[in-house]
Amino acid sequence: MDPLLALGCKKTLNLEDVPQLANCDSAKEVFAHFRNKLESDGNDRGSVGQINTIKLVKALILSAWKEILWTTLFSIIHTLASYIGPCLIKAFIQYLNSPHQLKYKGYMLVFVFFLSKLITSLSERHLFFQLRKMGNKVRAALLATIYKKVLRLSSQSKWDHNSGENINLISVDAERIGFFSWYLHNIWRVPLQIVLALLILYESLRLASLVAFVATMILMLANIPLGKLQKRFQEKLMDSKDRRMKVTSEALKNMRILKLHAWEMKFLTKIMKLRNLETKWLKKLLYSSALIGSIYMSAPMFVSIVTFGFCVLMEIPLESWKILSALATFNILRGPIYNLPDTISMIVQTKVSLDRVVSFLCLNDLHPNIVHTLPKDYIEIAVEIVNGNFSWDLQSPNLTLKDLNFRVYHGTRVAICGSIGSGKSSLISCILGEVPKVSGSIKLNGTKAYVPQSPWIQSGKIVDNILFGKEMDKDKYEIILEACSLKKDIELLAFGDQTIIGDKGVNLSGGQKQRIQIARALYHDADIYLLDDPFSAVDAHTGTHLFKECLLGILGSKTVIYITHQIEFLSFADLILVMRDGKITQAGKYEEILSSGTDFMDLVSPHKKALAELNSIKCGTTLDYLVNDEKDDDNMLYSEKSIQDDKERESKNHKTEDLVRPKEQLVQEEKRENGGVSFAFYWKYVTTTYKGAFVPFILLAEILSQLLRIISSYWMVLATPVSEEMKPHFKGSTIIFVYVALTLGSSLFELKRTMLTVTTGYKTATQLFNKMHLCIYRAPMSFFDSTPSGRILNRASIDQSAVDTSIPRSFEELLISIIGFLGSIAVMSQVSWQMLIIFIPMSLACIWYQQYYISTARELSRLAGVCHAPITQHFSESSLGSTIIRCFDQEERFMDTNLKLVDGYFRPKFQLSGATEWLCFRLDMLTSLTYVVSLVFLISVLKGVLSPGVLGLAVTYGLEFSIYGVIWDLSSLENKIISVERILQYASIPSESPLLVEANRPGHEWPSQGKVDIVDLQVRYAPHLPLILRGITCTFLGGMKIGIVGRTGSGKSTLVQTLFRLLEPAAGQILIDDINITKIGLHDLRSRLSIIPQDPTMFEGTLRSNLDPLEEHTDEEIWEALDRCQLGDEVRKKEGKLDTIVTENGENWSMGQRQLACLGRVLLKRSKILILDEATASVDTATDYLIQKTLREHFSGSTIITIAHRVTSILDVDKVLLLDNGLVMEYDSPAKLLEMKSSAFAQLVKEYTQRCSS
């Protein structure tokens, strides 16, 4: 340990400075070993399915058996050695009492005392080190096992078991099961300690020792009902914590939506309510634990009262050596009796955690045999489904997909289309093997790649997202970037493809995420490609480019199955499957099915209608120009030259930006404080509740309790004779009566101290929780963009847990240690003040060692804290993307990453336990030497001067004397207080502007016209990033319909965010009805505007709570809105009607249905200004047409601002705003722009019509 400690003294340690774990301790080895044990326990290898708690415990024990053997051995040695002291007290007092004893006999006794302390110390150090090592192994095995399970869960299991619970499994339950290693040996050690103690008592008190035994047993049995009570509280607490974490994690995921709708305070109230419920159980748990704890702290006194009382009754003579020996023994008994309730409550908590882990491991995996691989000689068939019936929920009588029969040949393109909720995405999931099979067969031939509808992007570098575990092939990579038109986007980023993406791709636009996904699939070079509506999130121009370059180009020879709502892409397919209600109603080529049935006609006719409208807008000349100018194939791509010009212009702008500002990534490394935990944090913690008014009372109670305990020992020693020949000074009953009074007083003060500590503790925890959560929910959007949610979740679960329970307990233990230590010094110095001469240098040496150690220990503890967040982060990401990970066969790689992260977390933890034992051993040696010097002093100087009883008392107190407890408690508190430091770090995030500005509250009618003036608007995402909008000026008149178009990344969504003030303008202003929006409160602004965002979001709960979370509308109004947004009939079919369940992220509703639900929210709100951010991207043209119609009817007097990728959905607007690279390129009515042949809008429309007419 020396080199690491020396280094830690010189500099702040980083992860690179921490040595690697030995191979046998690495997560990979531990997990492999554990899995073998777990699987070999099942009869057939590989079945982890039927795990029960017994099996899990057995596997854990077998995988850590070496540590268990060593710790058992050290435990026995330690227990035996600790009893040598009390056995020798009789001999010591007799030696002091008889004047004619030989000197060497005294020194022999001193030597034996010293030896027993040395053995106790050595065995304890090794014991603790091995216990920690064992705990780490158990945690590592569980973290890896739970993670592996997450990768294999079926979707049904995922719906039943949400991510909040899963995060608690790895952050709370695995930790707790690992922590149980400390209590493992108490199960047999406690009875052993009691038996040994009773033997010593029998030696001195004969029959009375049986009474002591009975008293001890009564105390132990009282534990059973108390333990049951605690188990109930513990389970309730964990359940309520799960519920809170679930809502928290959902809110963090969708913070942008909450802020856009001004709902974040509503969600905060919801979390506060859940926290209040949690606090109710927390209080019950803490108070019951405190009561039990204080009863057991007074246990030795209770046992001693009963025993001494019995002696007086039975007239067993009490001499001071008997009393001292008994007191020393009772003090040792205090350990096991005090540990027992702790052990029992830990067994209870661990059992709860084990059951939770087991119930998770028993969830259904994805069935491996849903999809069969075709033999190699079936060269032409790629996918074949025969009589397929599938259902997401096997319990439900309604099938998701029925009577599927089709065959796809290698190298063909298959398009799937159909209205919303017809089962298109389910069909693709079913080919992936994700949907449980009721009957029939699926056969596949070849590797597969998949692009889901809602993008799944890992936080990390862009390049890693595209390569996704493959080796880098520069040429192929460049070709793919070009095909996915990502080149330009990557050039615009300060770090190119090394840019770190935030949590779930926050710093990318919807289109960029989609294109990175497509690039990932292309780079994988699979045989079968499954694309779920890949073109919906990109603008028309990019969509064409992607279709041409990717589908028709790179994937020309591959089997491609794609879902699309863009009718114009259907004609390129070799086979079109039209779906309705989970059935394939039509199949064939475009021309064939157009004439054969109605379903396809329903999809195509609105599109044709829209095209006809488009053509009627344009005057004849333009039309000819648009349709007949097909000599030049480049038109298909928005004329290459203009793209070239754009690029040059952008790179110039970009270079000037670069010179001005330093480069910084959006997602920064997690900040950890450096140096000592400043005293301010302790002070803040202690004074949070009632300005710290309880603290002096807690101190006073502990001091008085200790004082009364010491007085009671003195009383017993001085009131009883030294030997049998002498007469007692007082009557037996008087002796016992005074003793009882003193001990009861001591116990009452102890109870008062515990109760006050608990009250202060939970009140402080609640205040810190409220403070941090208020700060997080009022934080600006930029905070969430640059902070992975794992970091926030860690503070809300692990750190909050520490503040709830561990920190108050640590403060209390430190106080007990300090006062106990001072008490021992007082008793020993009272015999002779010269002893202080030894204590002072010893204490200084101890403090020097502690200072030398703490700088390393503190940084190791912080590193462990920072290294835990990536595990949580990676875990929740993998859980969301498990389908993709499985489809690309990347389970192995993700598992390895997880094991590496687990190792990164345990490296600092392992070194920390080494450092702790290093310190404790040195402190133990110093205190033992001090004790020996004091004993020699007693023998040589004071023998015969003072009463042997008083000297004996000094020896007895010296047995317990050790500064190690104080230093240990101090270090453990410092390691835990880091949680307070981390919570306070998030309780001081700068807030957004105020929700309400009382001086500037707009009238109830505002905005009455809906006029928007934008004046020289400049916006950037963060102070260190370049401008996105670079001086936009335009006016939207009230009641106008505005369409905003432009390439992906041109600043369309940024403009919308600025309207809602998710981004504050760097310069310029926006006026709505002549009120500057930066002057009014955020709640006033956001609640008066409406938006249907790009990612349709639904929250866990009911349909009603999703449409009307603030509960402002009647059922009639909600039904009316549902009918208008085409969801009414769908909802009436469901049993729950408005109370139909919505699962996490709205997974049980299709993407299109979620989009319609978002429309329903807006229809209920009826604002004067409505923003549609690519709102109809995931619906078919027919539904799109209906939505547009609904909006026209119900928002006829409102200003509607539409960002659209489908040219058809913005043709009936009054004005088109064309953005390019953050500047206004064109702003006029569509008809005028189409007249100018050179206008970029005309280019866009022309290309769209060509695409459709081709």
Side-chain angles (χ1 to χ4, degrees), residues 315-355:
E315 297 184 346
I316 299 173
L318 280 175
E319 295 138 48
S320 48
W321 70 264
K322 288 184 179 173
I323 285 175
L324 286 173
S325 175
L327 282 178
T329 313
F330 292 145
N331 262 334
I332 291 184
L333 260 185
R334 184 189 194 137
I337 294 180
Y338 179 62
N339 277 338
L340 199 74
D342 251 13
T343 307
I344 286 184
S345 94
M346 263 321 283
I347 291 177
V348 164
Q349 293 181 18
T350 309
K351 173 86 171 73
V352 172
S353 287
L354 279 166
D355 290 344

Side-chain angles (χ1 to χ4, degrees), residues 128-183:
F128 283 6
F129 183 70
Q130 292 291 346
L131 283 176
R132 278 208 195 81
K133 198 167 139 187
M134 178 161 85
N136 287 350
K137 274 191 167 179
V138 167
R139 285 188 195 103
L142 287 172
L143 286 176
T145 311
I146 293 170
Y147 181 81
K148 193 164 181 74
K149 181 72 182 179
V150 156
L151 291 183
R152 296 202 309 238
L153 278 189
S154 69
S155 38
Q156 184 60 42
S157 306
K158 265 195 192 159
W159 290 347
D160 297 343
H161 216 84
N162 56 56
S163 55
E165 290 174 49
N166 295 351
I167 285 172
N168 271 344
L169 277 181
I170 58 168
S171 58
V172 181
D173 294 314
E175 279 295 307
R176 185 171 291 142
I177 296 168
F179 191 65
F180 182 70
S181 60
W182 286 97
Y183 295 88

Side-chain angles (χ1 to χ4, degrees), residues 946-1223:
L946 284 172
S947 119
V950 175
L951 288 181
L953 191 66
V955 176
T956 310
Y957 267 83
L959 276 177
E960 285 184 65
F961 168 69
S962 156
I963 196 172
Y964 149 71
V966 179
I967 302 282
W968 168 250
D969 288 337
L970 191 66
S971 306
S972 113
L973 177 64
E974 182 165 25
N975 290 341
K976 284 177 186 161
I977 204 88
I978 289 172
S979 289
V980 176
E981 174 185 80
R982 283 161 57 90
I983 285 178
L984 287 171
Q985 198 182 1
Y986 275 15
S988 54
I989 309 162
S991 281
E992 289 185 293
S993 315
L995 290 175
L996 301 172
V997 178
E998 286 305 334
N1000 279 357
R1001 295 213 55 180
H1004 282 299
E1005 297 307 310
W1006 181 85
S1008 53
Q1009 305 159 331
K1011 175 178 163 224
V1012 182
D1013 288 301
I1014 301 175
V1015 187
D1016 186 34
L1017 184 66
Q1018 299 180 16
V1019 179
R1020 54 167 54 104
Y1021 271 97
H1024 59 261
L1025 296 172
L1027 284 171
I1028 308 281
L1029 298 181
R1030 310 197 325 235
I1032 287 186
T1033 304
C1034 57
T1035 300
F1036 306 153
L1037 294 172
M1040 276 177 80
K1041 312 279 179 276
I1042 310 285
I1044 304 182
V1045 291
R1047 257 196 63 124
T1048 308
S1050 58
K1052 306 186 295 282
S1053 292
T1054 308
L1055 181 57
V1056 171
Q1057 292 190 48
T1058 316
L1059 264 178
F1060 283 87
R1061 285 177 65 196
L1062 288 187
L1063 295 170
E1064 295 285 351
Q1069 56 183 15
I1070 298 179
L1071 306 166
I1072 295 181
D1073 282 6
D1074 303 322
I1075 290 185
N1076 184 342
I1077 63 168
T1078 52
K1079 299 280 186 282
I1080 61 173
L1082 289 179
H1083 191 272
D1084 278 336
L1085 169 70
R1086 291 171 185 166
S1087 59
R1088 310 287 175 90
L1089 308 179
S1090 280
I1091 182 165
I1092 302 182
Q1094 194 172 356
D1095 304 326
T1097 305
M1098 288 176 83
F1099 298 96
E1100 186 156 4
T1102 61
L1103 183 62
R1104 182 190 276 112
S1105 69
N1106 264 288
L1107 292 174
D1108 179 26
L1110 304 179
E1111 296 158 9
E1112 299 168 331
H1113 301 278
T1114 61
D1115 281 10
E1116 287 70 43
E1117 292 175 303
I1118 296 179
W1119 276 116
E1120 193 184 338
L1122 280 174
D1123 286 331
R1124 285 183 187 153
C1125 68
Q1126 314 298 323
L1127 266 178
D1129 299 338
E1130 182 64 38
V1131 176
R1132 282 190 184 87
K1133 280 186 212 158
K1134 307 209 176 222
E1135 295 167 25
K1137 305 285 189 281
L1138 289 181
D1139 295 318
T1140 304
I1141 298 294
V1142 177
T1143 55
E1144 197 172 9
N1145 303 333
E1147 295 287 342
N1148 57 344
W1149 294 71
S1150 81
M1151 190 87 156
Q1153 288 168 328
R1154 279 180 257 168
Q1155 196 92 53
L1156 293 178
C1158 294
L1159 174 67
R1161 282 178 196 156
V1162 170
L1163 289 170
L1164 276 174
K1165 205 165 158 188
R1166 295 225 170 111
S1167 310
K1168 217 44 190 159
I1169 297 179
L1170 169 63
I1171 291 124
L1172 306 175
D1173 187 355
E1174 297 163 9
T1176 53
S1178 13
V1179 296
D1180 54 274
T1181 323
T1183 315
D1184 183 10
Y1185 197 71
L1186 287 167
I1187 291 177
Q1188 299 296 343
K1189 196 167 128 221
T1190 310
L1191 292 176
R1192 272 200 293 276
E1193 283 169 22
H1194 298 285
F1195 288 92
S1196 51
S1198 304
T1199 310
I1200 299 184
I1201 302 169
T1202 310
I1203 294 182
H1205 289 157
R1206 285 193 191 151
V1207 175
T1208 46
S1209 54
I1210 53 162
L1211 284 174
D1212 59 342
V1213 298
D1214 302 317
K1215 285 204 166 179
V1216 171
L1217 174 68
L1218 193 132
L1219 291 181
D1220 186 38
N1221 193 23
L1223 295 165

